[in-house]
Amino acid sequence: MILRSRLVLIAISAAFILLLLLALLHAPPDGRERGDFSQFVGRFHPLVVHLPIALLLLVPLLECFGLVRRWSHLRESAGFVLALASISAFIAVFLGWLLAWSGAYEGKLVTNHMWGGFSLAVAIFLCCFLRLWNIRVYRIALVATLALLAWTSDKGGKLTHGESFMTRYMPTGLRSLLHIPAAPNKIQAALKTPAPALTNASVTVSPSATFYAARVAPIFDQKCTGCHNVEKKKGKLRLDTFENVMRGGKDGIVVKPGDLGHSELFRRINLSPEEKDFMPTDGKPPLTAPEIKVIELWIASGATNTLPEIEVHGTPPLPKPAIPALPLAKDYRPQLKAISSLEQELGVRLVPRSQNPNDGLILRTVSAPERCDDKTLARLKSIGDLIVDAELARTKITDEGLKILSTFPNIRSIDLAHTNVTSKGVPLLARLNHLETLNLTATPVDDTGVAVLRHKPSLKHLYLFETKCTVQFAAESNKTRPNLSR
């Protein structure tokens, strides 16, 4: 009777697996959007998918603790938990396929995640029966299944949070061990076409000085490429390069140069979040009013990737307090060629602070912080007087780099969060006469490191969250300067 029941269960399970396999093979995600009900059901996938993961991770714990005599009864429940993991895994795969097939998803990453989930469900199913027939083979299969779970989960994380979700902040040593290349600068990669020369100058405009590179591409990168990239092309639309933006998707051209009324992308970002065609979808943060205005100006001005940023008027300011022209600042335009060369060599971005060429440059490293170290700052010393804002969070900057940074005379803001700078190097920054904001969050700095900064007249904001600075010191600092935070 028991054998017959098992055979019936195997037959039913095999039939379901075969039907699911046929669905995956004959109706793969193709970038087309289908019925609302199928999308509604498919959207339960993120809710259900965590159940088999939790159950599968529980199985080896039950098996291991069950080897101890006093807890041997735990092994009896491992088989039941494994069976639940198998059933819930197939349900999660079905819902995931339904979501991708009906929700206009496609791309290599989507396909890899889908087949990884199906393979994982089959592997769990096989573990259920191997556990009954051959315990040694079962243990090997369980370890392999856990490895497959890690791979499939990684693909799912990249689908949801971006390609570099697991590797963006990976330590350099681990990155080298796993042979994972440094994350590319997406904004620079998006600009394959060099900008033309200025009509009144003999140098070439740096790609980062074009309106598309400086203002439009960062918006696409932050708000849109999570669903529209080379690995995940929702609606057959990619927004990770200028060429792909202009190519459009399954519904045709989404940007019509000079014509806002017939630019589908502009229409969708202006819809109400409750409407079906609103972008971005899936509860992701919508574009802000200034960001929408930037897209509007770009399309209205011809939607090119060559128009210099300084020629677009009415652009909303960047979300930072305006920095007035510094007494020692100078026009950066005569050094555009050198600036562009340093950007390409060092993998950083040097962005004009405003349309006023005397307002200086912002040093940005957020797209690839692991590329920036003390040697990078040394190479930037030749244009140090042009840099007014240094965004160095999560970089490899140390106290040696602070020695160089302290010679950049016009710096107003420095972000050193999550770096290895210490109380030995931070006092060097007291030399900067125009320094207004300093972020030392999550650094090993203590009271002695910031003591010299407490009475610095220009410093308005000092952030000491997750540092070794004492509560008493922070309280004393706040009495004299209200924007010193811990």
Side-chain angles (χ1 to χ4, degrees):
M1 181 64 70
I2 296 178
L3 179 59
R4 178 179 297 179
S5 298
R6 289 178 178 176
L7 291 176
V8 171
L9 180 61
I10 291 175
I12 295 174
S13 302
F16 179 78
I17 293 173
L18 181 59
L19 290 174
L20 185 57
L21 177 62
L22 290 175
L24 268 59
L25 288 173
H26 293 285
D30 56 5
R32 295 177 58 192
E33 189 171 349
R34 292 175 173 86
D36 292 345
F37 182 74
S38 58
Q39 290 192 53
F40 168 74
V41 176
R43 292 193 176 205
F44 281 92
H45 170 72
L47 177 65
V48 175
V49 75
H50 296 93
L51 181 59
I53 294 174
L55 292 171
L56 182 60
L57 292 176
L58 180 61
V59 170
L61 294 178
L62 294 173
E63 297 284 12
C64 290
F65 280 104
L67 295 176
V68 181
R69 179 176 299 178
R70 60 181 297 185
W71 294 327
S72 59
H73 60 281
L74 294 177
R75 293 195 63 201
E76 298 176 5
S77 60
F80 177 71
V81 172
L82 194 61
L84 288 180
S86 177
I87 295 171
S88 58
F90 280 111
I91 295 174
V93 172
F94 171 75
L95 293 175
W97 163 78
L98 189 62
L99 175 62
W101 173 74
S102 62
Y105 291 94
E106 69 170 336
K108 182 179 179 182
L109 191 56
V110 174
T111 303
N112 286 344
H113 180 58
M114 180 185 72
W115 284 110
F118 178 78
S119 301
L120 178 63
V122 172
I124 300 173
F125 175 75
L126 293 176
C127 284
C128 290
F129 292 96
L130 288 173
R131 188 177 186 277
L132 298 175
W133 291 329
N134 193 317
I135 194 66
R136 290 186 178 181
V137 177
Y138 157 70
R139 290 171 179 169
I140 297 174
L142 182 60
V143 172
T145 301
L146 291 172
L148 181 58
L149 170 65
W151 184 85
T152 305
S153 299
D154 175 61
K155 299 302 178 184
K158 289 177 178 178
L159 269 176
T160 306
H161 303 288
E163 183 68 23
S164 60
F165 176 65
M166 288 298 296
T167 60
R168 177 169 296 178
Y169 303 117
M170 182 179 289
T172 304
L174 181 58
R175 187 185 291 275
S176 300
L177 179 64
L178 299 177
H179 302 287
I180 297 176
N185 186 322
K186 293 183 179 179
I187 304 305
Q188 291 182 348
L191 301 168
K192 299 179 180 179
T193 306
L198 287 171
T199 56
N200 59 347
S202 59
V203 297
T204 301
V205 177
S206 167
S208 63
T210 67
F211 187 71
Y212 177 81
R215 300 303 302 270
V216 180
I219 296 174
F220 288 155
D221 184 49
Q222 295 170 15
K223 298 291 182 69
C224 307
T225 56
C227 290
H228 301 285
N229 58 69
V230 65
E231 300 287 359
K232 182 182 178 184
K233 299 174 285 187
K234 187 170 184 180
K236 296 185 180 295
L237 174 64
R238 287 175 55 182
L239 298 175
D240 52 345
T241 69
F242 173 79
E243 292 78 9
N244 287 325
V245 172
M246 303 309 294
R247 185 176 295 117
K250 69 179 180 65
D251 295 322
I253 301 298
V254 296
V255 172
K256 190 172 182 180
D259 189 348
L260 291 169
H262 291 87
S263 292
E264 181 66 8
L265 184 145
F266 184 72
R267 182 187 75 85
R268 292 199 176 202
I269 62 177
N270 278 283
L271 293 174
S272 168
E274 289 76 25
E275 296 194 44
K276 180 180 178 181
D277 291 338
F278 173 75
M279 289 178 58
T281 60
D282 301 330
K284 294 181 174 61
L287 274 66
T288 63
E291 290 171 336
I292 292 175
K293 183 63 177 179
V294 168
I295 302 297
E296 177 185 344
L297 291 172
W298 174 62
I299 296 175
S301 62
T304 74
N305 68 334
T306 58
L307 183 68
E309 183 184 11
I310 59 176
E311 292 187 14
V312 180
H313 303 290
T315 309
L318 291 168
K320 284 194 174 184
I323 298 179
L326 298 172
L328 301 178
K330 59 183 182 181
D331 193 335
Y332 64 81
R333 289 177 296 185
Q335 298 191 57
L336 275 176
K337 189 173 182 179
I339 292 169
S340 178
S341 177
L342 286 170
E343 282 186 314
Q344 296 177 14
E345 174 191 346
L346 303 175
V348 300
R349 295 186 62 223
L350 296 163
V351 183
R353 184 63 186 82
S354 74
Q355 293 184 7
N356 185 345
N358 292 316
D359 274 358
L361 303 174
I362 301 173
L363 169 60
R364 286 183 174 162
T365 64
V366 66
S367 60
E370 67 279 0
R371 296 185 184 182
C372 184
D373 54 19
D374 299 338
K375 294 181 180 178
T376 303
L377 291 182
R379 289 287 294 115
L380 292 171
K381 194 170 183 179
S382 60
I383 59 166
D385 57 341
L386 298 176
I387 298 176
V388 297
D389 189 340
E391 300 175 356
L392 302 171
R394 302 183 186 277
T395 61
K396 298 179 181 179
I397 299 300
T398 67
D399 293 339
E400 288 299 314
L402 297 188
K403 292 181 181 179
I404 302 169
L405 199 62
S406 66
T407 65
F408 292 10
N410 294 322
I411 280 193
R412 289 287 183 96
S413 176
I414 302 175
D415 186 355
L416 294 167
H418 298 275
T419 62
N420 291 321
V421 299
T422 70
S423 294
K424 180 180 179 181
V426 168
L428 296 171
L429 302 180
R431 304 174 185 174
L432 299 170
N433 295 328
H434 302 289
L435 183 63
E436 296 180 351
T437 301
L438 178 61
N439 187 358
L440 296 172
T441 297
T443 61
V445 174
D446 56 23
D447 294 350
T448 60
V450 296
V452 69
L453 301 173
R454 290 177 59 191
H455 305 292
K456 185 172 177 57
S458 66
L459 191 61
K460 298 178 181 178
H461 306 277
L462 175 61
Y463 300 99
L464 302 174
F465 301 101
E466 301 180 41
T467 64
K468 297 180 180 179
C469 293
T470 63
V471 175
Q472 292 81 2
F473 175 78
E476 292 173 3
S477 299
N478 287 329
K479 290 178 182 179
T480 58
R481 195 166 299 127
N483 292 315
L484 299 186
S485 304
R486 182 178 184 275

